[in-house]
Amino acid sequence: MKFTRREILTAFLSSPLALSACQNPTPQFPKGEIINTSQELGHKIRDGLKLEPALDNWKNIKIVIVGGGIAGLSAAWRLKKLGFEDFILIELEKTPGGTARSGESKLVSYPWGAHYVPAPMKENVALLELFNEMGILEGEDNQGQPIVAEQYLCRDPEERLFFRGRWYEGLYLYAGASEKDLAEFKAFQKEIDRWVEWQDSKGRRAFTIPMAKVSDDVEVTDLDKISMSTWLKRYNWTSPRLRWLVDYSCRDDYGSSIETTSAWAGIFYFASRMAKPGATAQPLITWPEGNGRLANYLYSQVKDKVRLGLAALEINPIKELEVEITTFDQNTSQAFGFRAEQVIFAAPHFLTNYIIRPYRDNPPKHVEAFQYGAWMVANLFLRDRPSQIRASYPLCWDNVFYESKSLGYVVATHQRGLDYGATIFTYYYPITELDVNVARKKLLSTDWQGWADVALTDISQAHPDIYTLTEQIDIMRWGHAMVRPHPDFIWNKSRFEAAKPFRNIHFAHADLSGVALFEEAFYQGVRVAEEILTSRNLKFKSII
Amino acid sequence: MIRTSIIFLNVLIIATCGLVYELLAGTLASYVLGDSVTQFSLIIGIYLSAMGVGAWLSGFIEKDLAQKFIEIEIAVAILGGFSAPILFLSFARLSYFHIILYLVVFLIGVLVGLELPLLMRILKDQLDFKDLVSRVLTIDYIGALVASLMFPLFLVPKLGLVRTSLVFGLLNVGIGFWATWTLEPLIKKGLTLLRIKAIIVAILLLIGLIGANKITSLAEDNLFADDIIYSRTSSYQRIVVTKSRAGFQLFLNGNLQFSSADEYRYHEALVHPAMVLFGKPKKVLVLGGGDGLGLREILKSKDVESVTLVDLDPAMTQLAANFPMLVELNDKSISDPRVKVINQDAMIWLEDITEKFDVVIIDFPDPNTFALGKLYSTRFYRLLRKSLNEGGTVAVQCTSPLFARTSYWCIVRTIEAAGFSVKPYQTAVPAFGVWGFALAKVGDFEIPKQAPKNLRFLNDETLVSLFTLSADTSAVAVEINRLDNQILVRYYESEWRRYQ
Ligand SMILES: Cc1cc2nc3c(=O)[nH]c(=O)nc-3n(C[C@H](O)[C@H](O)[C@H](O)COP(=O)(O)OP(=O)(O)OC[C@H]3O[C@@H](n4cnc5c(N)ncnc54)[C@H](O)[C@@H]3O)c2cc1C
């Protein structure tokens, strides 16, 4: 079924905008493409693609890591650092990084997915080790908190908000806020502060990163039973600006709306990033290519162990200390097999039901609990910057539209310090629809032209010259972009079940944390590497 | 019978236009080539003698007088009308600007010189010879008076040079067009063709007038106290040069960068303390400073073997290399064989180099945007430290410690935070007021005491006195400017806003 321009713009933007866009002649479109992923192969795997590797295509190896996203790469990094070398990492795509991957152009690199990490606090020892190794940190301050080198912190000006023809500094819309708006915003911040300060009897914080270290006290975990929207209602907070900010935060971090995000996750977004009450949120660390920098670094450290374009088709634990992994090599179109003692499953968790043989035969209940949002990411290559609106806040790293369902755009040249001329905008659109299957269908049934139109029309509200400035627009459709922390997921026992090893298959993926963050993917990877080495009776000093 | 009174109106306008073109050329010449007495007398001389040539040439025209007269008028209109825009646009691009200038003046002179004799011959059958001569010449001289009064009082201040030229071209062609009716009985053939030519020229001039905004907008003409003699919007900024009695001025995005009358005070103070502090620097780096004026001071030292100048904007360094007034002022510094020019963002350039320098002179515009603010951050100064030789010294222009005291001290403290010892210093530059700098080096140091010989501003006593700060510019508490807070841009904005 083919949708009209008007229908597409109405579905993803708003009907007045669609109407006015369609009254004008259809604009000239720049060139561009949908970034090819291995979606088709993925569907075939789901439909039970079975290939039998030739007898001499089998190999014995101690550990196979399935998935070269942050979790898989981190596990490999940890294994290698502890001197364990007998493993291989297989990654379906021809580029590593998963949802943290990035692209390159002559001008600057740019993200395709994840684009920032809040500065870690001293408790996150494992992450500090990685960041120190990468030269991101420069010692610690007098409270022992790590100091991030200036050039990696998001450069000021960081964020601006577009509202009715003008840009304003920051993400809370102060302009025109009433007394009541401001009072509610203040009360909200106070409530967040209360959670920042909150500690249980064991001295654990209510919200911290990695989330494995949070308190499981019912006072906190009860928050997971309701939605963020319900939570706001409890306090009678009705200010549209506050609601917008909270909804934006949920969409930005989780790709779900204020109604479909658990209050626990909603508060986590704010409270886990503050060192102490009243402190400003931890500054953001970013690079032109976003978290692609981290993915590429990890990859560079374990490159000799990684096989790209190799998809796991089936994982079959046949006996104790023996798992058979059949794979399909996209480069040679051949099947290969591995006999491993242990497997680290670092692909998205929903795939376990298709790939792990016993799961396929007898799907465990907990896998269903994992639901994924759908995202569209567009990279727009501009020959020059949009003209500056007078008396408006200037171009920032993150540029958000108050009246749009998108998340706005991030500017890749910002952190590089390229302040004039050509640039790349990365535009994010999470489909927050309640039913994830409907959301995915909307994502995939809209073609390049449709998505390019959505991105350009949306951005043109603030930058009418975007059509003539854009030379190319490439589109990424993330069908299973990230797990959604809907109510009753984070503290539901399914998530804990899922993280337990199944025979000699160990699980590592940000999914298992319930919140899709770099830090969580990294933590899961390191945790599983250590879990496996412990099971092999190796002695080492844990960093988690 | 033709109506002579209308013909005399023609004479008046021809005379006015002719003189306006001459004045325009004279003004432009003295703006760009400097030395206004010589330029004005040269232009007047060329113009008058060209008129003589025209008068002489008129003797060769035998027939179709009326038609020829109108054709000449159209030619004057197009040449005179476009004279200022053409000269304006060739300022910075052509090194043989003066040849174009004199050629244009000469051609206009010839054409204008042709007009009156022809007109007098056309009218000779309508009037007595004595009346004819007396009236035509009277009106001619009145026209000259009108022009010379209107030019300084109304035209240049209200319209600017470019528009004045185009408007008078239009007037010229308008009167020619009209003459196709008044002289109709005398025109034997090609009347329609004449009218078409006139209309085409008028349209061209009108387009020019609309396009004049591209060169300088009316609003911008009014913004600057003095006449704009060069302007260009590069990919990075708006560059404007204005001319006043005291010399010429350079503006970037409307902010004064220097005035030729007193820039030596600024540039001597910026450059020499760091040079003297190092001793005998061989490798010098200039960041910003695309005008080549700081460079001029550096090149005065014979020890200097190479200078690298990094300025973002090629339009700026090209101007410094080609714009005659600026080339004279910077003493051809940009073209010196010791100098290497790099057009790149200084911060990105610093990130990528491994080269080291003895002295670094930093002459960026004031931190009034985030793009400039980053060039005053701890990160920037740390990068700089990495590019200094042992004992290397740095001088930084730091805005005014009087008008923007917090900003000034913020820059000083930021340089310190990057691991330098800093001696703040200042000087008075009439065009700016009190101006501030920072002299920096890794490790403790004493202020330099001996100025180089033969400078216009600095001698040993003034050099030392630069380092005493008055009470109203003394240190205030500030935050450090970092890439992730850009506090300096915020300080700067709030401080300068008070003066706007
Ligand atoms: C648009 C977007 C924006 C985001 N923004 C941020 C952000 O700003 N900050 C942040 O912290 N987080 C962000 N995230 C989330 C972040 O990207 C993830 O939490 C994190 O990178 C996940 O890493 P992972 O290794 O757990 O999973 P993934 O990235 O999903 O990696 C899994 C890997 O497994 C591979 N795989 C799948 N099937 C197979 C198979 N059969 N065989 C072999 N390999 C297979 C996949 O190709 C993939 O490379 C964002 C995510 C998206 C989609």
Side-chain angles (χ1 to χ4, degrees):
Chain A
M1 187 161 113
K2 188 101 178 110
F3 293 98
T4 63
R5 182 160 185 243
R6 170 99 174 262
E7 282 164 342
I8 290 173
L9 295 181
T10 308
F12 293 112
L13 301 171
S14 68
S15 54
L17 192 58
L19 189 63
S20 73
C22 292
Q23 269 162 3
N24 301 327
T26 305
Q28 185 80 49
F29 275 86
K31 62 179 172 122
E33 57 178 11
I34 296 247
I35 296 300
N36 246 330
T37 54
S38 312
Q39 230 147 42
E40 255 168 57
L41 179 61
H43 289 160
K44 280 194 200 143
I45 297 174
R46 262 179 23 194
D47 298 343
L49 175 70
K50 262 202 95 158
L51 295 170
E52 205 48 61
L55 274 177
D56 47 2
N57 275 356
W58 282 93
K59 223 175 142 174
N60 289 340
I61 193 152
K62 290 225 168 75
I63 297 173
V64 172
I65 302 175
V66 177
I70 296 296
L73 291 170
S74 305
W77 171 80
R78 187 68 187 134
L79 287 180
K80 215 174 162 191
K81 276 203 94 169
L82 289 175
F84 190 91
E85 296 266 351
D86 195 4
F87 72 92
I88 190 171
L89 185 157
I90 62 174
E91 163 58 49
L92 159 76
E93 302 289 349
K94 287 176 185 161
T95 26
T99 49
R101 67 196 256 204
S102 55
E104 262 174 56
S105 79
K106 254 192 261 135
L107 178 71
V108 73
S109 320
Y110 50 89
W112 273 121
H115 56 283
Y116 72 89
V117 183
M121 293 185 248
K122 61 180 175 202
E123 294 77 14
N124 199 345
V125 183
L127 191 55
L128 295 186
E129 178 158 334
L130 174 71
F131 280 11
N132 260 320
E133 196 180 297
M134 288 181 71
I136 297 172
L137 304 177
E138 288 181 337
E140 47 191 53
D141 66 12
N142 47 21
Q143 268 140 53
Q145 293 291 1
I147 299 173
V148 178
E150 192 173 347
Q151 64 270 33
Y152 301 122
L153 291 176
C154 180
R155 208 183 119 198
D156 191 57
E158 193 170 307
E159 312 153 319
R160 63 174 181 172
L161 191 55
F162 186 77
F163 178 66
R164 303 214 176 134
R166 273 237 222 159
W167 289 102
Y168 297 92
E169 180 177 6
L171 285 183
Y172 180 80
L173 186 64
Y174 279 101
S178 68
E179 291 288 315
K180 183 173 169 285
D181 286 326
L182 294 176
E184 284 189 14
F185 185 42
K186 227 171 156 183
F188 169 78
Q189 286 172 317
K190 241 183 103 188
E191 187 58 19
I192 296 294
D193 272 350
R194 189 174 78 76
W195 282 118
V196 173
E197 203 166 18
W198 191 98
Q199 284 190 344
D200 66 11
S201 53
K202 293 184 191 148
R204 293 177 300 190
R205 286 180 59 152
F207 301 97
T208 193
I209 299 174
M211 60 93 77
K213 297 189 177 173
V214 299
S215 167
D216 56 2
D217 191 289
V218 284
E219 191 186 342
V220 200
T221 58
D222 267 358
L223 290 168
D224 192 44
K225 303 237 159 71
I226 54 169
S227 74
M228 196 58 186
S229 171
T230 310
W231 184 76
L232 285 185
K233 273 187 210 120
R234 270 195 192 162
Y235 295 88
N236 281 324
W237 290 332
T238 54
S239 159
R241 284 148 204 265
L242 175 62
R243 202 180 153 79
W244 182 90
L245 180 75
V246 176
D247 181 59
Y248 167 82
S249 309
C250 294
R251 287 184 295 131
D252 184 47
D253 249 24
Y254 310 129
S256 50
S257 71
I258 191 169
E259 281 95 10
T260 53
T261 305
S262 116
W264 188 94
I267 301 168
F268 177 87
Y269 174 94
F270 293 96
S272 66
R273 299 176 178 197
M274 283 160 71
K276 49 178 189 283
T280 46
Q282 287 293 95
L284 305 183
I285 299 178
T286 190
W287 296 269
E289 67 272 43
N291 293 2
R293 177 71 64 101
L294 298 164
N296 292 339
Y297 174 79
L298 289 169
Y299 175 62
S300 72
Q301 298 306 103
V302 296
K303 206 168 173 169
D304 56 327
K305 305 283 176 207
V306 177
R307 292 275 298 276
L308 297 175
L310 202 60
L313 301 181
E314 187 178 84
I315 301 173
N316 196 6
I318 44 179
K319 50 183 171 239
E320 200 186 338
L321 284 187
E322 187 167 345
V323 195
E324 278 183 3
I325 303 113
T326 30
T327 69
F328 176 72
D329 187 345
Q330 297 208 56
N331 310 295
T332 61
S333 295
Q334 279 193 54
F336 287 94
F338 296 94
R339 282 193 192 87
E341 293 175 5
Q342 285 162 309
V343 165
I344 295 179
F345 190 91
H349 200 75
F350 76 95
L351 287 175
T352 52
N353 272 358
Y354 304 105
I355 299 179
I356 298 174
R357 177 71 168 272
Y359 277 39
R360 191 157 69 206
D361 297 343
N362 200 353
K365 202 100 194 81
H366 64 250
V367 181
E368 269 166 43
F370 290 78
Q371 301 214 334
Y372 296 80
W375 286 56
M376 188 284 286
V377 179
N379 270 300
L380 290 81
F381 301 77
L382 309 191
R383 83 185 90 246
D384 200 356
R385 285 150 209 245
S387 49
Q388 161 91 8
I389 305 169
R390 280 204 70 192
S392 230
Y393 202 67
L395 189 68
C396 292
W397 171 66
D398 193 9
N399 305 271
V400 180
F401 310 122
Y402 189 86
E403 291 150 301
S404 168
K405 294 184 202 164
S406 77
L407 297 172
Y409 62 88
V410 173
V411 180
T413 45
H414 183 89
Q415 197 65 12
R416 177 77 178 113
L418 285 166
D419 292 323
Y420 304 90
T423 184
I424 298 173
F425 286 1
T426 310
Y427 172 89
Y428 290 86
Y429 193 112
I431 307 178
T432 53
E433 206 102 8
L434 176 63
D435 184 331
V436 285
N437 292 318
V438 173
R440 200 144 31 245
K441 214 163 169 192
K442 276 173 89 172
L443 174 83
L444 298 175
S445 62
T446 304
D447 61 5
W448 176 83
Q449 173 98 9
W451 278 120
D453 203 6
V454 169
L456 290 165
T457 307
D458 195 17
I459 298 176
S460 75
Q461 297 182 75
H463 307 301
D465 44 359
I466 194 71
Y467 292 101
T468 50
L469 291 173
T470 308
E471 286 178 326
Q472 185 181 333
I473 170 167
D474 291 344
I475 305 279
M476 177 79 89
R477 296 182 300 191
W478 295 107
H480 291 83
M482 56 177 83
V483 69
R484 273 194 188 176
H486 50 77
D488 198 23
F489 173 64
I490 302 276
W491 290 100
N492 187 298
K493 64 176 190 314
S494 300
R495 191 175 66 84
F496 296 92
E497 288 294 318
K500 284 186 195 145
F502 172 73
R503 303 212 209 147
N504 30 7
I505 304 172
H506 297 251
F507 298 95
H509 189 281
D511 287 359
L512 301 174
S513 296
V515 284
L517 297 179
F518 168 83
E519 302 93 309
E520 296 301 334
F522 173 76
Y523 170 82
Q524 296 293 349
V526 173
R527 176 188 64 78
V528 163
E530 295 196 352
E531 184 178 279
I532 283 203
L533 293 183
T534 309
S535 75
R536 304 180 76 92
N537 294 322
L538 269 122
K539 295 262 172 295
F540 61 91
K541 191 167 172 286
S542 171
I543 54 172
I544 55 172
Chain B
M1 200 47 209
I2 50 174
R3 300 208 358 239
T4 47
S5 55
I6 289 185
I7 298 289
F8 287 124
L9 186 64
N10 240 309
V11 175
L12 181 76
I13 291 182
I14 290 170
T16 317
C17 290
L19 198 74
V20 165
Y21 300 143
E22 180 191 337
L23 291 173
L24 277 171
T27 315
L28 277 168
S30 62
Y31 278 175
V32 181
L33 303 173
D35 193 2
S36 57
V37 177
T38 322
Q39 287 310 328
F40 255 98
S41 58
L42 248 173
I43 296 288
I44 291 174
I46 291 175
Y47 190 74
L48 288 179
S49 60
M51 279 177 73
V53 173
W56 173 71
L57 283 176
S58 76
F60 295 95
I61 297 176
E62 303 286 351
K63 43 180 202 201
D64 299 334
L65 292 185
Q67 193 190 341
K68 294 266 157 58
F69 170 76
I70 294 172
E71 274 175 347
I72 289 169
E73 204 148 6
I74 296 172
V76 176
I78 190 156
L79 196 62
F82 280 112
S83 62
I86 289 171
L87 294 175
F88 209 95
L89 292 176
S90 45
F91 272 175
R93 307 224 164 105
L94 303 172
S95 44
Y96 43 90
F97 167 74
H98 46 280
I99 299 179
I100 300 227
L101 172 76
Y102 300 138
L103 194 70
V104 166
V105 170
F106 184 80
L107 286 177
I108 296 177
V110 170
L111 291 172
V112 173
L114 274 164
E115 282 179 321
L116 274 198
L118 285 185
L119 197 69
M120 282 163 90
R121 280 163 63 192
I122 290 169
L123 291 177
K124 75 174 192 303
D125 299 332
Q126 322 283 330
L127 287 169
D128 270 357
F129 184 65
K130 112 173 129 34
D131 281 351
L132 179 67
V133 174
S134 89
R135 286 218 224 152
V136 167
L137 289 185
T138 313
I139 292 171
D140 184 33
Y141 293 128
I142 291 177
L145 178 69
V146 173
S148 56
L149 288 178
M150 269 169 58
F151 189 76
L153 295 181
F154 171 74
L155 297 175
V156 175
K158 283 279 167 330
L159 292 179
L161 298 170
V162 170
R163 273 180 208 78
T164 300
S165 156
L166 290 162
V167 164
F168 275 77
L170 270 172
L171 207 61
N172 229 325
V173 71
I175 211 77
F177 192 51
W178 192 10
T180 59
W181 275 277
T182 35
L183 297 179
E184 192 172 339
L186 303 178
I187 299 172
K188 292 194 197 78
K189 52 175 197 268
L191 190 68
T192 331
L193 192 64
L194 265 184
R195 287 186 183 151
I196 291 175
K197 281 186 196 161
I199 290 173
I200 291 175
V201 168
I203 290 173
L204 286 178
L205 286 163
L206 266 175
I207 293 173
L209 202 57
I210 295 163
N213 269 330
K214 284 239 170 75
I215 304 180
T216 66
S217 71
L218 258 184
E220 188 174 61
D221 274 332
N222 295 332
L223 199 74
F224 294 96
D226 299 302
D227 303 332
I228 295 177
I229 56 166
Y230 173 84
S231 65
R232 173 169 175 200
T233 303
S234 73
S235 316
Y236 306 104
Q237 56 200 343
R238 177 107 181 123
I239 304 173
V240 169
V241 180
T242 65
K243 167 79 188 176
S244 69
R245 222 168 290 138
F248 69 100
Q249 297 79 29
L250 174 79
F251 293 83
L252 297 181
N253 293 334
N255 300 313
L256 179 62
Q257 302 302 304
F258 69 80
S259 168
S260 64
D262 57 20
E263 56 76 25
Y264 67 93
R265 293 185 136 239
Y266 173 93
H267 289 106
E268 287 185 13
L270 172 66
V271 170
H272 295 295
M275 299 279 285
V276 172
L277 181 63
F278 186 84
K280 288 186 185 324
K282 290 199 177 77
K283 281 189 72 175
V284 181
L285 172 65
V286 184
L287 301 176
D291 53 29
L293 298 170
L295 203 53
R296 174 195 65 205
E297 296 303 318
I298 294 167
L299 295 172
K300 283 180 182 169
S301 159
K302 296 294 161 247
D303 302 314
V304 170
E305 287 169 3
S306 73
V307 189
T308 306
L309 183 143
V310 184
D311 191 295
L312 181 63
D313 194 351
M316 190 59 230
T317 45
Q318 278 157 20
L319 191 76
N322 299 322
F323 193 57
M325 299 158 90
L326 190 49
V327 173
E328 191 185 325
L329 192 66
N330 67 31
D331 209 9
K332 303 197 181 76
S333 61
I334 297 269
S335 319
D336 191 289
R338 287 175 284 171
V339 174
K340 185 164 98 192
V341 175
I342 291 166
N343 293 117
Q344 206 188 334
D345 184 292
M347 183 140 180
I348 293 176
W349 182 79
L350 271 181
E351 268 173 13
D352 298 342
I353 58 154
T354 48
E355 228 177 318
K356 290 182 193 272
F357 299 88
D358 298 333
V359 172
V360 183
I361 304 296
I362 304 185
D363 193 9
F364 294 129
D366 279 4
N368 60 0
T369 64
F370 292 113
L372 287 165
K374 74 174 186 223
L375 304 172
Y376 293 84
S377 63
T378 34
R379 165 74 178 157
F380 181 83
Y381 296 123
R382 285 206 184 108
L383 280 173
L384 193 69
R385 228 178 74 188
K386 177 191 88 158
S387 308
L388 277 183
N389 277 324
E390 181 74 29
T393 60
V394 182
V396 186
Q397 94 81 4
C398 305
T399 189
S400 170
L402 187 63
F403 303 129
R405 188 169 171 184
T406 322
S407 306
Y408 176 81
W409 283 100
C410 172
I411 301 173
V412 170
R413 296 293 183 238
T414 302
I415 304 173
E416 283 174 349
F420 287 95
S421 303
V422 180
K423 304 271 189 237
Y425 68 102
Q426 58 189 334
T427 187
V429 183
F432 293 140
V434 178
W435 214 255
F437 306 88
L439 182 60
K441 190 179 168 177
V442 179
D444 285 340
F445 66 95
E446 289 293 313
I447 59 165
K449 300 215 166 60
Q450 268 193 318
K453 299 286 167 281
N454 303 325
L455 296 181
R456 279 175 81 187
F457 170 56
L458 284 185
N459 55 26
D460 294 352
E461 292 75 36
T462 30
L463 177 60
V464 173
S465 74
L466 297 180
F467 291 85
T468 41
L469 267 53
S470 57
D472 57 356
T473 59
S474 60
V476 287
V478 290
E479 272 186 62
I480 302 301
N481 186 45
R482 298 164 45 89
L483 283 180
D484 57 314
N485 70 8
Q486 293 257 21
I487 191 75
L488 176 62
V489 177
R490 298 165 206 278
Y491 283 151
Y492 187 85
E493 203 201 44
S494 68
E495 288 184 306
W496 280 97
R497 200 188 282 144
R498 298 195 306 249
Y499 297 92
Q500 272 154 16

